[in-house]
């Protein structure tokens, strides 16, 4: 059963209390049923669109539908409800309900007690209730909104009393909307029944972290099952009972009366299997198709196009032409996900010729809405936590650790004592928490930043983040007067300033605390004293927008400039926008510089500005392809706004592969490469090349929905189009083995060749070697096979064992082929001419081999080589350098020999003179030997000048 917030859970009596109070202040804008009550509240801004779920049956045919549609088209920042029949945000209702369920504030409409005050609206800070209606466009006025409904609630109003609901004649499905549709009472009763079903809260699964936890988890999976179970009953229809049965019966009765809410909700129940309702894709398609064909509902058209595109559940045959038709219809009505889907099809050429202009047109629409949604949040915009990732990357890629491109070669993890490549986030948190308890302010700051930013495996917790930031700040500043403490640790002021920036940001945005511009200003000023860039940006934003301070454009510009000089991306975007508004040529260049600097760090607004400048040719050349890439990146980054990533990841972690697959397919149809890879990975029937024996494996048969090799091949192909090399190799495997298609050896060879270019995939090079060895699809050539095997080993060191074994087998086959005079080209050594080498040539080749050895060892450290003072690389002309070195060595040896020879002759000459003097009695005329420690005596003019160089001249 799918755990999610539902309309039945949202539209509780507490919500009605709130909405009726809204109506008391705006008596002429009153909804007419629980559905319209909910719609009125949907207008409020949303802090987290991820809470909006699929079971919202409100759509454009409801009473307030056209007005909300007009409001949506005005693009003032209403966040859309994903996968619903009207793009609206209902997470504000969820936020209210979370507060209203607490007993302490259950009766918050009464002001008699301090405990019964009204909870604050998201980002409104206790503003009056009529802010719920401030988002209406000027065209939506009181006289246009249900002028004759709900007068019975207030007989003194000037509004006429409506007739009973059962007597109202609703408009036909093909003709507009009415406040009441036939069967609306049945829909309300069905919702009441569905509300009785308890949906367990979905929690993120906690996997054991660290090495031992990982080993233990996989050891449990490897244990034999030893269970005896009967074969699964594939065709046994699940039986529904209780409130679910009664709710479905009521919805079916309402659908028979052409109630559009009931039709759409039945389609959702059958498609997603909500409330443990059995999935019936054929019935879901019938409901969606009925609603789309008769009423032209955009969300129903999106679902029909989706089912035609994928053929999921075999409800309909795949038909890309019809899929494009329905998606285009929905996109032309402003359905955001269809707009993104059509744009993705024009990018990749799916069912249509590739067209940059058409793709840019649709992706720009989506990017415009995404940026409007981001800016509709608190000061600084919505906070985004990336959810998109590849499932295969968690295990090293689709071929496993070391065999896939993502985990081999330059992408391989490098082992080192300080490496955290395999560190689990839980282990990191535990270690940092331990260090922070010991007084490590760096660990405390990093913990606060982790909890504030959040990530896929770590839920965002701003209150805990604030706790850690305050622990760092209070080590430096006194709590009472805010003055710095005495004798603080060196470097603490830097981290205290950064913590002050985050604390000020929380007060500015109202994250974890009630929004207070005064407190934000105080903390920003503390951080600015020590040069914190985030504090400079925060106070600059307050000065620019007038948040708690007077408008000061000059002050804001100075602060933005100071933060931008420190590469703070958000400040660079703000400063670039100010220069862009000036419109001068020089200002546009400066703006472009700041946008590009911020875009390097992935700032979504900077990428949007660059896309706009390239699209319109403002400040730079008009380039469609680059603008399209930026628009696509911006659209895909707004994941909570228009994708199902969060639900898909949660379903996968909960073990519901079918639901995860459906959500991933939806994201894949919108052009997410990672989702395309995930869909193909889940459907891949050949994930293991070395399967365990049947008696060691758990017998968990896959459902029919998870057995679609043809669909897997489709998404491997689309993923490879977006430059995923492993997906391209997988395509080759499918064509080689005939998985999901007829065997096509030539296509397999093309895929492997494309993946092996520039030595990207060792797996592809190995496969090409295998094909040449066995003559499968390519000419049987042992020599070429050896070359590809060698290249595979050069590309990926992890391929040593399979390449070595294959080379041993290949050499045996080649030797036998040579012995029997076979026709296959055997392994041959490269031809080389034998010649007599001189001594200088031998030394030259020896030195050259030595140089090549050291180049192999240090090629990663010195890729560019050694550059001389003239800027040219040294060592290019090896032959000339060796010859010069030999000449120098020869001259040096000759000089040494000459010096030795001269010294020998001088010594012999002196010895002869001494002998002659001794024989002639001339001993007294011999010069006295110098005393130890005396100054050196001057040489005679007749002494030889080279005598001091007898020791080699070092130091002289």
């Amino acid at each position: 059963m799918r755990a999610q917030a539902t309309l039945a859970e949202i539209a509780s009596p507490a919500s009605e209390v709130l909405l009726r109070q809204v109506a008391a202040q705006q008596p002429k804008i009153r909804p007419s049923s629980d559905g319209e009550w909910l719609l009125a509240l949907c207008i409020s801004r949303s802090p987290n669109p991820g809470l909006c779920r699929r079971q919202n049956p409100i759509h454009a045919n409801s009473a307030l539908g056209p007005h909300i549609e007009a409001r949506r088209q005005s693009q003032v920042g209403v966040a859309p409800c994903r996968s619903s029949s009207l793009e609206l945000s209902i997470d504000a209702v969820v936020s209210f309900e979370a507060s209203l369920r607490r007993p302490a504030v259950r009766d918050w409409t009464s002001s008699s007690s301090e405990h019964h005050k009204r909870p604050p609206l998201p980002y409104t800070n206790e503003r009056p209730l009529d802010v719920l209606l401030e988002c209406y466009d000027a065209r939506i006025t009181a006289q246009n909104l249900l002028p004759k409904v709900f007068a019975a609630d207030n007989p003194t109003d000037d509004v006429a009393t409506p007739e009973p609901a059962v007597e109202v004649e609703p408009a036909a499905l093909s003709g507009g909307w009415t406040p009441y549709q036939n069967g609306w009472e049945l829909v309300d009763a069905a919702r009441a029944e569905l509300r009785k079903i308890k949906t367990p809260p979905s929690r993120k699964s906690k996997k054991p972290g660290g090495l031992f936890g990982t080993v233990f988890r996989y050891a449990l999976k490897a244990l034999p099952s030893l269970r005896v179970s009967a074969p699964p009953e594939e065709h046994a229809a699940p039986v529904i009972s209780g409130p679910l049965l009664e709710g479905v019966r009521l919805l079916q009765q309402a659908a028979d009366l052409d109630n559009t809410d009931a039709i759409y909700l039945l389609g959702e129940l059958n498609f997603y299997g909500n409330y443990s309702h059995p999935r019936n894709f054929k019935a879901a398609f019938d409901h969606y198709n009925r609603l789309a064909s008769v009423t032209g509902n955009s969300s129903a058209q999106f679902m029909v196009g989706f089912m035609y595109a994928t053929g999921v559940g075999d409800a309909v045959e795949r038909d890309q032409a019809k899929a494009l038709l329905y998606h285009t219809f929905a996109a032309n009505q402003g359905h955001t996900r269809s707009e993104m889907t059509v744009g993705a099809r024009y990018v990749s050429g799916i069912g249509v010729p590739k067209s940059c202009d058409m793709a840019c047109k649709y992706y720009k629409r989506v990017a415009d809405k995404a940026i409007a949604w981001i800016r509709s949040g608190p000061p600084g915009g919505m906070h985004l936590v990336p959810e998109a990732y590849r499932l295969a990357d968690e295990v090293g890629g689709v071929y496993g650790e070391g065999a896939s491109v993502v985990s081999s070669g330059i992408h391989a993890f490098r082992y080192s004592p300080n490496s955290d490549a395999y560190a689990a986030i839980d282990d990191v948190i535990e270690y940092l928490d331990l260090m922070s308890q010991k007084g490590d302010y760096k660990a405390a700051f990093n913990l606060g930043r982790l909890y504030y930013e959040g990530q896929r495996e770590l839920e965002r917790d701003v209150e805990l983040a604030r706790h850690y930031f305050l622990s760092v700040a209070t080590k430096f500043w006194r709590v009472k007067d805010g003055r710095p403490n005495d004798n603080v640790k060196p470097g603490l002021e830097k981290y205290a300033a950064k913590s002050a920036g985050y604390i000020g940001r929380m007060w500015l945005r109202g994250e974890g605390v009630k929004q207070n511009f005064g407190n934000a200003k105080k903390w920003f000023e503390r951080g600015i004293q020590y040069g914190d860039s985030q504090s400079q940006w925060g106070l600059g934003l307050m000065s620019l927008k007038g948040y708690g301070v007077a408008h000061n454009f000059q002050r804001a510009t100075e602060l933005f400039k100071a933060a931008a000089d420190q590469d703070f991306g958000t400040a660079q975007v703000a400063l670039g926008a100010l220069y862009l508004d000036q419109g001068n040529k020089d200002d546009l260049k400066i703006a472009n510089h700041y946008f590009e600097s911020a875009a390097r760090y992935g700032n979504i607004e900077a990428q949007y500005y660059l896309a706009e400048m390239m699209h319109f040719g403002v400040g730079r050349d008009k380039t469609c392809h680059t603008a399209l890439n930026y628009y696509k990146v911006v659209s895909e980054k707004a994941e909570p706004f228009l994708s199902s990533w969060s639900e898909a990841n949660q379903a996968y972690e909960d073990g519901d592969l079918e639901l995860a697959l459906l959500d991933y397919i939806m994201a894949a149809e919108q052009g997410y490469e990672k989702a395309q890879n995930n869909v193909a990975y889940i459907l891949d029937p050949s994930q293991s090349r070395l399967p365990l024996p049947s008696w060691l494996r758990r017998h968990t048969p896959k459902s029919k929905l998870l057995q679609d090799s043809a669909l897997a091949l489709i998404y491997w192909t689309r993923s490879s189009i977006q430059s995923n090399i492993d997906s391209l190799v997988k395509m080759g495997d499918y064509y080689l083995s005939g998985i999901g298609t007829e065997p096509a050896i030539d296509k397999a060879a093309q895929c492997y060749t494309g993946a092996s270019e520039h030595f990207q995939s060792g797996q592809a090079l190995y496969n090409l070697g295998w094909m040449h060895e066995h003559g499968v699809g390519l000419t049987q050539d042992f020599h070429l096979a050896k070359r590809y095997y060698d290249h595979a080993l050069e590309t990926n060191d992890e391929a040593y064992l399979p390449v070595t074994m294959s080379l041993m087998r290949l050499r045996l086959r080649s030797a036998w082929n040579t012995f029997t005079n076979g026709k296959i080209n055997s392994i041959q050594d490269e031809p080389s001419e034998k010649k007599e080498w001189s001594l200088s040539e031998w030394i030259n080749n020896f030195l050259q081999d030595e140089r090549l050895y050291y180049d192999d060892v240090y090629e990663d450290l010195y890729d560019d080589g050694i550059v001389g003072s003239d800027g040219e690389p040294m060592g290019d002309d090896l032959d000339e350098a060796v010859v010069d070195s030999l000449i120098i060595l020869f001259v040096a040896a000759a000089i040494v020999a000459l010096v030795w020879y001269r010294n020998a002759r001088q010594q012999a000459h002196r010895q002869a003179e001494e002998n002659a003097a001794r024989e002639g009695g001339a001993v007294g005329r011999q010069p006295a030997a110098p005393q130890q420690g005396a100054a050196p005596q001057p040489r005679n003019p007749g002494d030889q000048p080279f005598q001091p160089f007898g020791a080699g001249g070092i130091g002289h």
Side-chain angles (χ1 to χ4, degrees), residues 849-903:
D849 293 340
E850 191 75 5
R851 175 180 175 274
L852 293 176
Y853 168 77
Y854 283 108
D855 283 349
D856 291 339
V857 174
Y858 298 107
E859 62 180 354
D860 293 336
L861 299 178
Y862 305 101
D863 292 335
D864 298 332
I866 302 176
V867 181
S869 60
D870 56 352
E872 297 295 331
M874 301 175 61
D876 291 341
D877 300 328
L878 181 61
D879 295 338
E880 295 179 4
V882 171
V883 172
D884 293 341
S885 300
L886 292 176
I887 293 175
I888 293 172
L889 290 175
F890 178 79
V891 171
I895 292 174
V896 171
L898 289 174
V899 171
W900 177 81
Y901 178 73
R902 288 178 61 117
N903 287 339

Coordinates of all heavy atoms in Angstrom, one line a residue, residues 849-903:
D849 N 65.0 3.9 -23.1 CA 64.1 3.0 -22.4 C 64.0 3.4 -20.9 O 62.9 3.3 -20.3 CB 64.7 1.6 -22.4 CG 64.7 1.0 -23.9 OD1 63.9 1.5 -24.7 OD2 65.5 0.1 -24.2
E850 N 65.1 3.9 -20.3 CA 65.0 4.4 -18.9 C 64.0 5.5 -18.8 O 63.3 5.6 -17.9 CB 66.4 4.8 -18.5 CG 66.5 5.0 -17.0 CD 66.5 3.7 -16.2 OE1 66.5 2.6 -16.8 OE2 66.5 3.8 -15.0
R851 N 64.1 6.4 -19.8 CA 63.2 7.6 -19.8 C 61.8 7.2 -19.9 O 60.9 7.7 -19.2 CB 63.6 8.6 -20.9 CG 62.6 9.7 -21.0 CD 63.1 10.6 -22.2 NE 62.1 11.7 -22.4 CZ 61.0 11.6 -23.1 NH1 60.8 10.5 -23.7 NH2 60.2 12.6 -23.3
L852 N 61.5 6.2 -20.8 CA 60.1 5.7 -21.0 C 59.6 5.1 -19.7 O 58.4 5.2 -19.3 CB 60.0 4.8 -22.2 CG 60.3 5.4 -23.5 CD1 60.3 4.3 -24.6 CD2 59.2 6.5 -23.8
Y853 N 60.5 4.4 -19.0 CA 60.1 3.7 -17.7 C 59.6 4.8 -16.7 O 58.6 4.6 -16.1 CB 61.2 2.9 -17.2 CG 61.0 2.4 -15.8 CD1 60.1 1.3 -15.5 CD2 61.6 3.0 -14.7 CE1 59.9 0.9 -14.2 CE2 61.4 2.6 -13.4 CZ 60.5 1.6 -13.2 OH 60.3 1.1 -11.9
Y854 N 60.4 5.8 -16.6 CA 60.1 6.8 -15.6 C 58.9 7.6 -16.0 O 58.1 8.1 -15.2 CB 61.3 7.7 -15.3 CG 62.3 7.1 -14.4 CD1 63.5 6.6 -14.9 CD2 62.0 6.9 -13.0 CE1 64.4 6.0 -14.1 CE2 62.9 6.3 -12.2 CZ 64.1 5.8 -12.7 OH 65.0 5.2 -11.9
D855 N 58.7 7.7 -17.3 CA 57.5 8.4 -17.8 C 56.2 7.7 -17.4 O 55.2 8.2 -17.1 CB 57.5 8.6 -19.4 CG 58.5 9.7 -19.8 OD1 58.9 10.5 -18.8 OD2 58.8 9.9 -20.9
D856 N 56.3 6.3 -17.5 CA 55.1 5.5 -17.1 C 54.8 5.7 -15.7 O 53.7 5.7 -15.2 CB 55.4 4.0 -17.5 CG 55.4 3.8 -19.0 OD1 54.8 4.7 -19.7 OD2 56.0 2.8 -19.4
V857 N 55.9 5.7 -14.8 CA 55.7 5.8 -13.4 C 55.1 7.1 -13.0 O 54.2 7.2 -12.2 CB 57.0 5.5 -12.7 CG1 56.9 5.7 -11.1 CG2 57.5 4.1 -13.0
Y858 N 55.6 8.2 -13.6 CA 55.2 9.5 -13.1 C 54.4 10.3 -14.1 O 54.2 11.5 -14.0 CB 56.5 10.4 -12.9 CG 57.4 9.8 -11.8 CD1 58.6 9.2 -12.1 CD2 57.0 9.9 -10.5 CE1 59.4 8.6 -11.1 CE2 57.8 9.3 -9.5 CZ 59.0 8.7 -9.8 OH 59.8 8.2 -8.8
E859 N 53.7 9.6 -15.0 CA 52.9 10.3 -16.0 C 51.7 10.9 -15.4 O 51.3 12.0 -15.9 CB 52.5 9.3 -17.1 CG 51.6 8.2 -16.6 CD 51.2 7.3 -17.7 OE1 51.5 7.5 -18.9 OE2 50.6 6.2 -17.4
D860 N 51.2 10.4 -14.3 CA 50.0 11.0 -13.6 C 50.4 12.3 -12.9 O 49.6 13.2 -12.7 CB 49.4 10.1 -12.7 CG 48.7 8.9 -13.4 OD1 48.4 9.1 -14.6 OD2 48.6 7.8 -12.8
L861 N 51.7 12.4 -12.5 CA 52.1 13.5 -11.7 C 52.6 14.6 -12.6 O 52.5 15.8 -12.2 CB 53.2 13.1 -10.7 CG 52.8 12.1 -9.7 CD1 54.0 11.7 -8.8 CD2 51.7 12.5 -8.8
Y862 N 53.2 14.3 -13.7 CA 53.7 15.3 -14.6 C 53.2 15.1 -16.0 O 53.9 14.6 -16.9 CB 55.3 15.2 -14.6 CG 55.9 15.3 -13.2 CD1 56.3 14.2 -12.6 CD2 56.0 16.5 -12.6 CE1 56.9 14.2 -11.3 CE2 56.6 16.6 -11.3 CZ 57.0 15.4 -10.7 OH 57.6 15.5 -9.5
D863 N 51.9 15.4 -16.1 CA 51.3 15.3 -17.4 C 51.8 16.2 -18.5 O 52.0 15.9 -19.6 CB 49.8 15.5 -17.3 CG 49.1 14.4 -16.5 OD1 49.7 13.3 -16.4 OD2 48.1 14.6 -15.9
D864 N 52.2 17.4 -18.1 CA 52.6 18.5 -19.0 C 54.1 18.5 -19.2 O 54.6 19.3 -20.0 CB 52.1 19.8 -18.5 CG 50.6 19.9 -18.5 OD1 50.0 19.2 -19.2 OD2 50.1 20.6 -17.6
G865 N 54.8 17.7 -18.5 CA 56.2 17.7 -18.7 C 56.9 18.9 -18.0 O 56.3 19.7 -17.3
I866 N 58.2 19.0 -18.1 CA 59.0 20.1 -17.6 C 59.1 21.1 -18.6 O 59.6 20.9 -19.7 CB 60.4 19.6 -17.1 CG1 60.2 18.4 -16.1 CG2 61.2 20.7 -16.5 CD1 61.5 17.8 -15.6
V867 N 58.8 22.4 -18.2 CA 58.9 23.5 -19.1 C 60.1 24.3 -18.8 O 60.4 24.7 -17.6 CB 57.6 24.3 -19.0 CG1 57.6 25.5 -20.0 CG2 56.4 23.5 -19.3
G868 N 60.9 24.7 -19.8 CA 62.0 25.5 -19.6 C 61.7 27.0 -19.4 O 60.5 27.4 -19.4
S869 N 62.7 27.8 -19.3 CA 62.5 29.2 -19.1 C 61.9 29.9 -20.3 O 61.3 31.0 -20.2 CB 63.8 29.9 -18.7 OG 64.8 29.7 -19.7
D870 N 62.1 29.3 -21.4 CA 61.5 29.9 -22.7 C 60.1 29.5 -22.9 O 59.5 29.8 -23.9 CB 62.4 29.5 -23.9 CG 62.6 28.0 -24.0 OD1 62.1 27.3 -23.1 OD2 63.1 27.6 -25.0
G871 N 59.6 28.7 -22.0 CA 58.2 28.3 -22.1 C 58.0 27.0 -23.0 O 56.9 26.6 -23.1
E872 N 59.1 26.5 -23.5 CA 58.9 25.3 -24.4 C 59.2 24.1 -23.5 O 60.1 24.1 -22.6 CB 60.0 25.3 -25.5 CG 59.7 26.5 -26.5 CD 58.4 26.3 -27.2 OE1 58.0 25.2 -27.4 OE2 57.8 27.3 -27.6
P873 N 58.6 22.9 -23.8 CA 58.8 21.7 -23.0 C 60.2 21.2 -23.3 O 60.7 21.2 -24.4 CB 57.7 20.7 -23.5 CG 57.3 21.3 -24.8 CD 57.5 22.8 -24.8
M874 N 60.8 20.7 -22.2 CA 62.2 20.1 -22.3 C 62.1 18.6 -22.6 O 61.2 17.9 -22.2 CB 62.9 20.4 -21.0 CG 63.0 21.9 -20.6 SD 63.8 22.1 -19.0 CE 65.4 21.4 -19.3
G875 N 63.2 18.2 -23.3 CA 63.3 16.7 -23.5 C 62.6 16.3 -24.8 O 62.5 15.1 -25.0
D876 N 62.2 17.2 -25.7 CA 61.5 16.7 -26.9 C 62.5 16.1 -27.9 O 62.3 15.2 -28.6 CB 60.7 17.9 -27.5 CG 59.5 18.2 -26.7 OD1 59.1 17.4 -25.8 OD2 59.0 19.4 -26.8
D877 N 63.7 16.8 -28.0 CA 64.7 16.3 -28.9 C 65.7 15.4 -28.2 O 66.7 15.9 -27.7 CB 65.4 17.5 -29.6 CG 64.5 18.4 -30.3 OD1 63.5 17.9 -30.9 OD2 64.7 19.6 -30.4
L878 N 65.3 14.2 -28.0 CA 66.1 13.3 -27.2 C 67.4 13.0 -27.8 O 68.4 12.9 -27.1 CB 65.3 12.0 -27.0 CG 65.9 10.9 -26.1 CD1 66.2 11.5 -24.7 CD2 65.1 9.7 -26.0
D879 N 67.5 12.8 -29.1 CA 68.8 12.4 -29.7 C 69.8 13.5 -29.5 O 71.0 13.2 -29.2 CB 68.6 12.1 -31.2 CG 67.7 10.9 -31.4 OD1 67.6 10.1 -30.4 OD2 67.1 10.8 -32.4
E880 N 69.4 14.8 -29.7 CA 70.4 15.9 -29.6 C 70.9 16.0 -28.2 O 72.0 16.2 -27.9 CB 69.8 17.2 -30.1 CG 69.4 17.2 -31.6 CD 68.8 18.5 -32.0 OE1 68.7 19.4 -31.1 OE2 68.4 18.6 -33.2
A881 N 70.0 15.8 -27.2 CA 70.3 15.9 -25.8 C 71.3 14.8 -25.4 O 72.3 15.1 -24.7 CB 69.1 15.9 -24.9
V882 N 71.1 13.6 -25.9 CA 72.0 12.5 -25.6 C 73.4 12.8 -26.1 O 74.4 12.5 -25.5 CB 71.4 11.2 -26.0 CG1 72.4 10.1 -25.9 CG2 70.2 10.9 -25.3
V883 N 73.5 13.2 -27.4 CA 74.8 13.5 -28.0 C 75.5 14.6 -27.3 O 76.7 14.5 -27.0 CB 74.5 13.9 -29.5 CG1 75.9 14.3 -30.1 CG2 74.0 12.7 -30.3
D884 N 74.8 15.6 -26.9 CA 75.4 16.7 -26.1 C 76.0 16.2 -24.8 O 77.1 16.5 -24.4 CB 74.4 17.8 -25.9 CG 74.1 18.5 -27.2 OD1 74.8 18.4 -28.2 OD2 73.0 19.2 -27.2
S885 N 75.2 15.3 -24.2 CA 75.6 14.8 -22.9 C 76.9 13.9 -23.0 O 77.8 14.0 -22.2 CB 74.5 14.0 -22.2 OG 73.4 14.8 -22.0
L886 N 76.9 13.1 -24.1 CA 78.1 12.3 -24.3 C 79.3 13.1 -24.6 O 80.4 12.8 -24.1 CB 77.8 11.3 -25.5 CG 76.8 10.2 -25.2 CD1 76.5 9.4 -26.4 CD2 77.3 9.3 -24.1
I887 N 79.2 14.2 -25.3 CA 80.3 15.1 -25.6 C 80.9 15.7 -24.3 O 82.1 15.8 -24.1 CB 79.9 16.2 -26.6 CG1 79.6 15.5 -28.0 CG2 81.0 17.2 -26.8 CD1 79.1 16.5 -29.0
I888 N 79.9 16.2 -23.5 CA 80.4 16.8 -22.2 C 81.1 15.8 -21.4 O 82.1 16.1 -20.8 CB 79.2 17.4 -21.5 CG1 78.6 18.6 -22.3 CG2 79.5 17.8 -20.1 CD1 77.3 19.1 -21.8
L889 N 80.6 14.5 -21.3 CA 81.2 13.5 -20.5 C 82.6 13.2 -21.0 O 83.6 13.0 -20.3 CB 80.3 12.3 -20.5 CG 79.0 12.3 -19.7 CD1 78.2 11.1 -19.8 CD2 79.3 12.6 -18.2
F890 N 82.7 13.1 -22.3 CA 84.0 12.8 -22.9 C 85.0 13.9 -22.6 O 86.2 13.7 -22.3 CB 83.9 12.7 -24.5 CG 85.2 12.4 -25.2 CD1 85.7 11.1 -25.2 CD2 85.8 13.4 -25.9 CE1 86.9 10.9 -25.8 CE2 87.0 13.2 -26.5 CZ 87.6 11.9 -26.5
V891 N 84.7 15.2 -22.8 CA 85.6 16.3 -22.5 C 86.0 16.3 -21.0 O 87.1 16.5 -20.7 CB 84.9 17.7 -22.9 CG1 85.7 18.8 -22.4 CG2 84.7 17.7 -24.4
A892 N 85.0 16.1 -20.1 CA 85.3 16.0 -18.7 C 86.3 14.9 -18.4 O 87.3 15.1 -17.6 CB 84.1 15.9 -17.9
A893 N 86.1 13.7 -19.0 CA 87.1 12.6 -18.8 C 88.5 13.0 -19.3 O 89.5 12.6 -18.7 CB 86.5 11.4 -19.4
A894 N 88.5 13.6 -20.4 CA 89.9 14.0 -21.0 C 90.6 15.0 -20.1 O 91.8 14.9 -19.9 CB 89.7 14.6 -22.4
I895 N 89.8 16.0 -19.5 CA 90.4 17.0 -18.6 C 91.0 16.3 -17.4 O 92.1 16.6 -16.9 CB 89.4 18.1 -18.3 CG1 89.1 18.9 -19.5 CG2 89.9 18.9 -17.2 CD1 88.0 19.9 -19.3
V896 N 90.2 15.4 -16.8 CA 90.7 14.6 -15.7 C 91.9 13.8 -16.0 O 92.9 13.8 -15.2 CB 89.5 13.7 -15.1 CG1 90.1 12.8 -14.1 CG2 88.4 14.5 -14.6
A897 N 92.0 13.2 -17.1 CA 93.2 12.4 -17.5 C 94.4 13.3 -17.7 O 95.5 13.0 -17.2 CB 92.9 11.7 -18.8
L898 N 94.2 14.5 -18.3 CA 95.3 15.4 -18.5 C 95.8 15.9 -17.1 O 97.0 16.1 -16.9 CB 94.9 16.6 -19.4 CG 94.7 16.3 -20.9 CD1 94.1 17.5 -21.6 CD2 96.0 15.8 -21.5
V899 N 94.9 16.3 -16.2 CA 95.3 16.8 -14.9 C 96.1 15.7 -14.2 O 97.2 16.0 -13.5 CB 94.1 17.2 -14.1 CG1 94.5 17.5 -12.7 CG2 93.5 18.5 -14.7
W900 N 95.6 14.5 -14.2 CA 96.3 13.4 -13.6 C 97.7 13.2 -14.1 O 98.7 13.0 -13.4 CB 95.5 12.1 -13.7 CG 96.2 10.9 -13.1 CD1 96.2 10.6 -11.8 CD2 97.0 10.0 -13.8 NE1 97.0 9.4 -11.6 CE2 97.5 9.0 -12.8 CE3 97.4 9.8 -15.1 CZ2 98.3 8.0 -13.2 CZ3 98.2 8.7 -15.4 CH2 98.6 7.8 -14.5
Y901 N 97.8 13.3 -15.5 CA 99.1 13.1 -16.1 C 100.1 14.2 -15.7 O 101.3 13.9 -15.5 CB 98.9 13.0 -17.6 CG 100.2 12.9 -18.4 CD1 100.8 11.7 -18.5 CD2 100.7 14.0 -19.1 CE1 102.0 11.6 -19.2 CE2 101.9 13.9 -19.8 CZ 102.5 12.7 -19.9 OH 103.7 12.6 -20.6
R902 N 99.6 15.4 -15.7 CA 100.5 16.5 -15.3 C 101.0 16.4 -13.9 O 102.2 16.7 -13.6 CB 99.8 17.9 -15.5 CG 99.6 18.2 -17.0 CD 98.8 19.5 -17.0 NE 99.6 20.5 -16.4 CZ 100.1 21.6 -17.0 NH1 99.7 21.8 -18.3 NH2 100.8 22.5 -16.4
N903 N 100.1 16.0 -13.0 CA 100.5 15.9 -11.6 C 101.5 14.8 -11.4 O 102.5 14.9 -10.6 CB 99.3 15.6 -10.7 CG 98.4 16.8 -10.5 OD1 98.8 17.9 -10.7 ND2 97.1 16.5 -10.2

